[in-house]
Amino acid sequence: LPMSGVGEILKAIGDFGPFQKWLVLLTLIPCLSVAFHQFCQLFMVVDVPHHCDTSWIRAVGPNLTQEEQLNLTLPRDADGEYEQCSMYSPVDWDLDSIVAYGLNTTQKCSNGWVYPSAEPPSLLTEFDLVCDRKDLNDIGQAIYMAGLLLGSMIFGPLSDRIGRRPVILISVILQGLFGLGIAFVPHFYVYMAFRCVVGASVSGITMTILTLATEWIGVSSRPKAVLSSHCCFAIGQMILAGLSYGIRNWRLLEIAGSAPILVVLFYIWVLPESARWLVTKGRMEEAKKLLQKAAATNKRSLPEGLLEGHGLPLPALTLTFFVLKLKPEKQIKSGSLLDLFRKKHLRKVTLIMSCAWFVNSFVYYGLSLNVTNFGLDIYLTQLAFGAVEIPARVGCIFTLQWFGRRKTQTVLLLLSGLVCLIITGIPEDQPLATTILATIGKFAASASFSTSYVYSAELFPTVVRQTGVGLCSMSARAAGILAPLVRLLGQYHEAIPMAIFGSAPVLGGLLCVLLPETRGTELLDDTEDGQ
């Protein structure tokens, strides 16, 4: 098979030498900012006490104390606290009449809300995400997830068409500019639009940079490379907990989280294209130069004949003739979305992996976005949720090698689902037990996510790899959009969301039993490759 020769050449020049380690290091830096954008909104909408603005009464009682004003203009709830979302309707009476007769007619807040003056500005206080506007918080999160979905649809096929490197650079520039732009938005709707673009760029970076790393690295080191970037994502979550604890002003927090990605612009000079992708496009000379550069960096001597097809024993000559002397018209044709469904074996892989990514993302975000509801300090919970991902991702490296991809994927999905189902039976007065179980669920879902990335990259052939992973990513993003909306079902019964988050990965895990094992196999390159 022509393209399998790239794997052979990578072995000759070192498939995880200094060149590849440098490449992996480059993939780690953007992962820190990805974690920030994924979860920063949780810390920008911290709940604070609030009440309707009833300053209308100051016109007739300019000397009223704050307490007297509230007492006259706000109704109280069953616990004796002032209502947060309703007020007494304003009247044209004088102050003595208001004090003597009291006000009885209530209405929704008509003149905005008042928040504690000591609180630093947050999304909630600046854009009044309270009462009737409270749902805008979840809608904003869902729109960011929609941006991730949009990015999957655009950047997956685009990087198969124009290359891995340009897509990564475009995504980094978009993320930096629009991330900084968010800090200066005047309206919440502009905020949501900018978040959507940032979401799309996050998709472009995560998918494409992992594919690039996978295509440069040998079979045995592939999981380590991909999963180390996932560990960096977990570290990014822990940094977010510290950053948001230290910077309570949401605009400054957004700048602190978005600006560092622009440092990555030096990638323009150092990031290599994928040699595998260049070969599929018939750009042999560029592929040769990159392979020679990799050999030099890895301090391996690459005989000139290996690239020219001269002066070598017959097997090597045959191999390299196919790899680097192919005529353009004999080139492997670029794959399309339809190719994923034409061939029976690819159709099965595509449908099951899409389902696995969907349920995985569903349970992951179901738990992650619930961080404010476990009853513990939000910053500590986020720190724990980030910290638990590191052993989950690192443990993956070993389980993938020992037990293979299929068993690992199946067991982890089943575990994350079962934990959520157990949570539904735990009484409300046991927050610690719920939090511990949720952390175990996050552990399993994170490890399963890492497995999905490695497994998908190995199941799809090179010509449709990015399109295939992009499609899986799209289904994961669709689940991400649904997750915050499913949480709204808790108003009917508190157990409903967790029951849904638990059932889905159990079904997905059982489907994964039908997939082929890819441990120790060479990457497929053409849709005709072995089934």
Side-chain angles (χ1 to χ4, degrees):
L1 291 170
M3 282 283 299
S4 63
V6 176
E8 294 299 322
I9 287 184
L10 281 176
K11 276 179 194 167
I13 64 173
D15 57 11
F16 198 58
F19 180 85
Q20 284 87 351
K21 285 172 185 166
W22 168 242
L23 182 58
V24 169
L25 188 65
L26 294 180
T27 69
L28 300 185
I29 301 167
C31 292
L32 295 171
S33 71
V34 166
F36 172 84
H37 290 297
Q38 212 85 328
F39 300 116
C40 64
Q41 191 176 307
L42 294 171
F43 301 94
M44 295 176 179
V45 193
V46 180
D47 209 15
V48 291
H50 54 272
H51 58 77
C52 300
D53 183 348
T54 56
S55 52
W56 63 269
I57 201 171
R58 290 281 173 191
V60 291
N63 297 322
L64 286 172
T65 65
Q66 175 78 1
E67 188 56 35
E68 287 169 337
Q69 175 187 332
L70 298 182
N71 207 26
L72 290 172
T73 56
L74 292 178
R76 291 178 184 265
D77 61 21
D79 297 327
E81 301 290 330
Y82 291 119
E83 286 279 2
Q84 294 190 318
C85 297
S86 61
M87 58 189 268
Y88 288 124
S89 300
V91 290
D92 292 332
W93 307 349
D94 59 34
L95 185 61
D96 292 337
S97 302
I98 293 172
V99 173
Y101 300 109
L103 302 174
N104 292 318
T105 315
T106 60
Q107 65 173 57
K108 290 177 180 177
C109 302
S110 57
N111 198 30
W113 288 263
V114 174
Y115 307 95
S117 56
E119 288 291 326
S122 69
L123 278 176
L124 182 140
T125 59
E126 270 200 43
F127 300 122
D128 293 328
L129 303 184
V130 292
C131 304
D132 288 348
R133 291 169 58 83
K134 196 175 184 178
D135 287 349
L136 282 175
N137 179 27
D138 278 331
I139 291 167
Q141 195 68 50
I143 282 177
Y144 170 77
M145 296 293 187
L148 291 172
L149 174 60
L150 198 65
S152 303
M153 295 167 72
I154 295 167
F155 291 120
L158 189 65
S159 80
D160 276 343
R161 194 169 292 272
I162 68 168
R164 309 337 187 187
R165 185 174 174 273
V167 165
I168 292 166
L169 296 173
I170 292 166
S171 303
V172 164
I173 292 166
L174 280 177
Q175 188 180 311
L177 294 181
F178 280 86
L180 285 173
I182 287 171
F184 302 97
V185 295
H187 303 292
F188 192 68
Y189 297 105
V190 182
Y191 167 86
M192 290 197 287
F194 276 36
R195 282 275 288 166
C196 186
V197 177
V198 169
S201 71
V202 162
S203 243
I205 290 171
T206 48
M207 283 193 317
T208 316
I209 213 157
L210 287 171
T211 303
L212 178 63
T214 302
E215 291 180 343
W216 265 110
I217 288 162
V219 178
S220 59
S221 305
R222 220 177 287 145
K224 278 182 268 188
V226 175
L227 301 181
S228 54
S229 67
H230 287 189
C231 285
C232 222
F233 178 73
I235 293 166
Q237 289 184 56
M238 295 163 74
I239 291 171
L240 168 64
L243 208 55
S244 54
Y245 181 79
I247 307 173
R248 302 295 173 100
N249 180 323
W250 80 271
R251 292 185 188 270
L252 294 178
L253 179 60
E254 185 66 46
I255 290 170
S258 299
I261 192 71
L262 293 174
V263 175
V264 172
L265 285 178
F266 80 90
Y267 281 18
I268 290 171
W269 295 281
V270 297
L271 195 71
E273 185 50 90
S274 162
R276 284 176 181 275
W277 180 81
L278 289 170
V279 170
T280 63
K281 291 292 174 187
R283 288 158 64 174
M284 298 302 169
E285 286 305 314
E286 292 170 72
K288 284 182 195 180
K289 281 178 187 165
L290 274 178
L291 288 166
Q292 284 168 326
K293 184 184 172 186
T297 310
N298 289 347
K299 296 187 170 56
R300 294 282 184 97
S301 54
L302 183 62
E304 191 63 26
L306 187 61
L307 293 174
E308 300 305 329
H310 296 302
L312 281 176
L314 189 60
L317 177 61
T318 311
L319 167 75
T320 51
F321 177 82
F322 274 110
V323 181
L324 298 167
K325 284 290 187 179
L326 283 173
K327 291 177 184 169
E329 64 269 17
K330 296 270 184 86
Q331 233 355 290
I332 297 170
K333 282 189 299 191
S334 191
S336 70
L337 193 63
L338 289 175
D339 288 334
L340 294 173
F341 294 96
R342 279 199 194 103
K343 309 274 188 323
K344 188 183 171 186
H345 68 286
L346 265 184
R347 187 164 58 238
K348 182 176 83 170
V349 163
T350 304
L351 292 173
I352 296 177
M353 278 318 287
S354 296
C355 176
W357 278 60
F358 180 91
V359 298
N360 205 158
S361 174
F362 196 51
V363 69
Y364 180 87
Y365 287 114
L367 290 167
S368 297
L369 298 177
N370 224 21
V371 92
T372 51
N373 299 341
F374 292 129
L376 299 179
D377 177 78
I378 178 174
Y379 303 102
L380 281 177
T381 310
Q382 177 62 33
L383 191 67
F385 265 29
V388 79
E389 287 201 21
I390 295 176
R393 313 283 194 183
V394 172
C396 236
I397 296 171
F398 302 105
T399 53
L400 285 174
Q401 299 290 46
W402 294 337
F403 303 110
R405 280 58 163 155
R406 182 173 53 194
K407 281 182 191 166
T408 304
Q409 185 81 80
T410 303
V411 170
L412 288 171
L413 280 177
L414 289 173
L415 177 61
S416 62
L418 290 172
V419 163
C420 290
L421 293 175
I422 294 167
I423 288 175
T424 59
I426 292 183
E428 258 187 75
D429 57 356
Q430 301 286 333
L432 187 62
T434 308
T435 308
I436 290 169
L437 279 168
T439 309
I440 295 169
K442 182 90 191 283
F443 176 93
S446 304
S448 179
F449 241 142
S450 286
T451 306
S452 300
Y453 271 97
V454 176
Y455 204 4
S456 306
E458 293 178 344
L459 282 167
F460 291 110
T462 300
V463 287
V464 288
R465 181 170 299 119
Q466 195 65 2
T467 307
V469 173
L471 186 67
C472 291
S473 186
M474 278 167 55
S475 64
R477 301 318 173 200
I481 296 167
L482 275 179
L485 305 179
V486 165
R487 287 177 55 217
L488 298 175
L489 296 174
Q491 61 192 301
Y492 302 108
H493 192 287
E494 64 202 20
I496 292 175
M498 273 301 166
I500 296 173
F501 290 138
S503 310
V506 168
L507 291 172
L510 294 173
L511 277 176
C512 288
V513 175
L514 303 173
L515 290 170
E517 179 54 71
T518 59
R519 175 174 51 170
T521 59
E522 189 54 74
L523 287 178
L524 302 178
D525 292 300
D526 189 5
T527 53
E528 301 298 335
D529 282 0
Q531 300 183 20

